[in-house]
Structure formats: C-alpha cells, structure tokens
Amino acid sequence: MTRFRDALAAPGLQAIAEVKRRSPSAGDLRPDADPAELAPAFALAGAAACSILVDERFGGSFDDLRAARASTGLPLLAKGFFTEEAHLLACRDAGADAALLLLRDLDDARAAALLALAAELGLETLVEAHDADELDRAVALGAPVIGINARDLSSFAIDRAAQLSLVARAPRDRVIVAESAVDSRAKGAAAELAGADAILVGSALMRASDPSAKLSDLLRRPLVKVCGLTREEDVAVAADAGADLAGFILAKESPRTAPGVLEVPETMLAVAVHVGETADSGADLVQLYRREDGHRSRDAVLLRDGEQVARVVDLPWQEDDPSHLERAAEVEGRLMLAGGLDASNVGAAIAAVHPWAVDASSRLETAPGIKDHAKVRAFVEAAR
C-alpha cells in the first residue's frame, strides 16, 4: 500500500477526499454518507487519500474509519481533535494510516510527543496550521506533511488569500496540503500554483449529487480558459458555462485589448495577457509573450507573482502549423494549449496532448473582442 505522504507527493495536484456528514459551521451536509461506499468511489475518481471524520460533532465515529478500512486500500487520514496518546492508539487500531494534529490545540512539547508516538506506531500525521506562527511551528517540529487551513476554526471565517500566501512561503521539502473551501477547479489550481501538493476537499464533495464525479472534475479535467474578453457580459457567460480562467489581453496593439482586468467570480481566475513587458493589473496570473517583429511571439509563459508556473504553446502569429499538437505533446510539466481551438477540435486536442489547460479566443467571436455566447458555451462544454 502507498504511504500517506508518498501518495500526496506524487506528480500533479493530489487530493484527500473527506467523508463528513455534518459541519459545525454548515450543519448537515450528507447525513447518510457511507464511508464504505464513498472511500472506494473516491479512489476510482483519483483521490490520493481519504479523510474520515471520527468526531461526533461532525457526525463521525471510529466505526466509520473501520468501515472505510474494510472497503479500500487508499491511505486513510483520521480527523478529529487528538491531544492524547490514547487518541493516536485508537486511530491506529481502527485502521488509520495517518492522524490529524491541530497546532491550535497543542503546544510544541505536546505536539512533539504526539509526533514521536505516531512514528513509533507507524502512523503518519497531517500537522495543521492556520497562520504564519503555526506554519513556522510545524516546520520547526519537522512535520513532513503540513496542512494549511483557510478556515479559522474559532470564527469559521474563510481567508483564501492568507492561505495561499502561507502555501507559497512554505518550504518545498515538505508536502503541503491546502484545506477548506476548495469547491471549484480554479480554486484547486490556485492552491497548486501557489505550491500546494494536494488539496483536502470535504464539504464540496458531500454537497454534490455525485461526490466522486465532483472529485474527478476538481482533479482530472483540464482547466478551460476563455481569452480575449473585453465585456462584462462575456465574462458572465464564460463563468456560467463553467470556464475556469478568464483572459484579458492588455497589449495595446491587439484588436482584443480589454479596458483592464474585469471582475471575475470566485469560481474563476483572472489572467492578464501581456506582450513584451508586464504591468501590475491585479490579475491572479500573467500570460507573457515576447515581442517579435511588432507582434507577440509564438509561445508564452504563465506567471504567478513573477514566477513561471506553466508553459503556453500557441500558434505563430496569424499562421497555422500542422505539427502544433505534436510539438505541444513534447512539453514536460504544466502545459496550456492555445491556438485555433474551438468546440470542434478541442476534444481531439485534449486526447492528443493531455494539457493542464486549454485556451481559446478568436474562434469564439462574432467580431474581435466580442464573444459569440453559443460558441463559448459549446467550447467550454467540449473541453470539460
């Protein structure tokens, strides 16, 4: 069986799928959730591990952990408020591979003692931090797997910006898990690009009509970008269709130059597209082309806070290339595939290249910068 840490450290964004019947902040989520059914379904959907709430405040028990253990070979994380040695023994005896340790509830001496006992028991840990001080403590304690929770467990407030900032500053020699409020492909991507190895998803799965299908959507499909947006109504249509990335071209010479980076809903990330040089636009990401012969270069890079996080393989300026997909398929790491895509060909392109994201613009228009809403919807549907 793959160990908990190793499963989360595998290439690409991994996920811990959580079985949670209720939440103190949200009330009942899925009162009839059966871990014996959900855990193997999550494994098939791509989960790296499964989290089981064993605390009665969440409608859980150690019997749920035993039921999950009997039904799946996935690494199992026991989640509860564990502060005593007996709690870890109970987790181990019920079949857990790892246990949650909340630094909010533990001083350094107690946390160190529990980490040492867990190691003796062959039990891995997820050490959870909520702020910069707790992150520093987790690092100093030598925690191999650190969870960074966007939710304040006292007020239940969500602060994703603070979470992503902590994820970005966490040391890369640890496995970092972004926890709470990941309910869209774009939010998962934001955590991944900040440096998270994995996400922990509970409420979004429990609320979904098909939890395993929701998990697969968060993990397995490419991100979908609609670029060349210039109008709020086109952003709204792209968002409603299910696009994850909204692209705004800020190069002055483009016929699709946007007035700026328009507001996007929280289910999307905004991408500012520049040629030659960048400027602060407030976008989540920057897509930067070189300037060649007065136009954009063929390919680009995707930047987060000035650091490259993906490559963009495009077509030459106003030209075609029969080897486009073959060239894209040779790229290692995160690939955004752009150039000549629409509903008619994006499915074949995805099958050939397996990109991290797909990007369409001119073929979704009635005029430069004016989107054909039917074409936008058809493209997003075909790409998802």
Side-chain angles (χ1 to χ4, degrees):
M1 180 189 299
T2 304
R3 290 180 59 81
F4 179 69
R5 182 196 182 282
D6 293 342
L8 299 182
L13 181 66
Q14 303 302 319
I16 305 172
E18 186 161 271
V19 179
K20 179 166 61 174
R21 295 191 180 93
R22 70 178 313 277
S23 159
S25 60
D28 285 343
L29 297 169
R30 201 179 193 92
D32 61 349
D34 184 349
E37 293 181 1
L38 288 170
F42 287 150
L44 290 174
C50 185
S51 168
I52 306 293
L53 266 300
V54 299
D55 190 279
E56 63 182 9
R57 284 166 284 189
F58 294 83
S61 70
F62 280 102
D63 285 339
D64 292 328
L65 188 55
R66 296 184 186 94
R69 178 77 293 152
S71 69
T72 186
L74 272 182
L76 297 180
L77 170 69
K79 264 189 90 172
F81 301 94
F82 306 135
T83 58
E84 304 296 334
E85 285 76 359
H87 296 153
L88 297 189
L89 287 166
C91 292
R92 193 273 312 269
D93 292 345
D97 300 283
L100 176 71
L101 296 179
L102 289 164
L103 290 185
R104 183 200 66 168
D105 298 337
L106 303 167
D107 61 25
D108 286 349
R110 183 97 287 258
L114 293 177
L115 283 166
L117 176 61
E120 290 179 18
L121 297 174
L123 194 65
E124 297 184 76
T125 55
L126 173 63
V127 176
E128 185 173 297
H130 296 81
D131 56 31
D133 177 64
E134 289 182 358
L135 173 59
D136 291 341
R137 290 175 58 206
V139 173
L141 285 162
V145 183
I146 300 174
I148 299 178
N149 202 333
R151 187 186 304 278
D152 184 308
L153 295 185
S154 299
S155 67
F156 302 121
I158 294 289
D159 189 339
R160 283 189 52 76
Q163 178 198 46
L164 295 178
S165 177
L166 292 176
V167 168
R169 60 163 279 194
R172 298 278 75 88
D173 63 344
R174 312 301 170 93
V175 172
I176 303 300
V177 182
E179 305 178 42
S180 292
V182 179
D183 55 9
S184 70
R185 184 74 175 88
K187 289 180 181 178
E192 176 187 5
L193 297 180
D197 300 283
I199 53 177
L200 189 149
V201 190
S203 298
L205 302 183
M206 296 297 97
R207 290 190 176 107
S209 57
D210 185 336
S212 59
K214 176 66 175 179
L215 178 63
S216 182
D217 181 72
L218 291 174
L219 288 177
R220 289 185 165 176
R221 68 169 177 82
L223 291 147
V224 183
K225 176 169 173 268
V226 175
C227 197
L229 294 164
T230 63
R231 307 185 304 169
E232 292 180 355
E233 56 264 43
D234 295 344
V235 174
V237 167
D240 183 65
D244 310 292
L245 306 173
F248 304 96
I249 298 174
L250 302 183
K252 295 282 190 285
E253 67 269 26
S254 172
R256 299 172 183 85
T257 300
V261 173
L262 303 179
E263 185 175 352
V264 302
E266 65 173 13
T267 56
M268 302 180 84
L269 300 179
V271 182
V273 182
H274 293 275
V275 177
E277 58 188 18
T278 65
D280 187 11
S281 63
D284 299 292
L285 303 168
V286 169
Q287 187 169 328
L288 178 62
Y289 292 86
R290 297 186 309 278
R291 191 179 301 280
E292 297 178 352
D293 300 324
H295 301 294
R296 66 161 176 82
S297 59
R298 171 175 181 152
D299 295 338
V301 292
L302 195 68
L303 307 174
R304 181 192 185 275
D305 288 346
E307 295 187 8
Q308 181 176 331
V309 292
R311 285 182 58 187
V312 182
V313 172
D314 209 330
L315 289 172
W317 175 256
Q318 295 185 336
E319 294 179 21
D320 202 355
D321 179 2
S323 66
H324 183 48
L325 296 185
E326 289 83 354
R327 195 172 71 91
E330 296 175 355
V331 173
E332 296 183 0
R334 299 186 194 102
L335 165 70
M336 180 183 289
L337 180 66
L341 296 178
D342 60 16
S344 70
N345 60 16
V346 69
I350 290 170
V353 177
H354 305 292
W356 175 76
V358 291
D359 181 355
S361 180
S362 61
R363 292 200 178 186
L364 309 183
E365 296 177 334
T366 58
I370 306 300
K371 295 305 180 201
D372 181 314
H373 293 179
K375 290 181 179 180
V376 169
R377 292 189 182 97
F379 169 71
V380 175
E381 181 179 0
R384 286 171 60 102

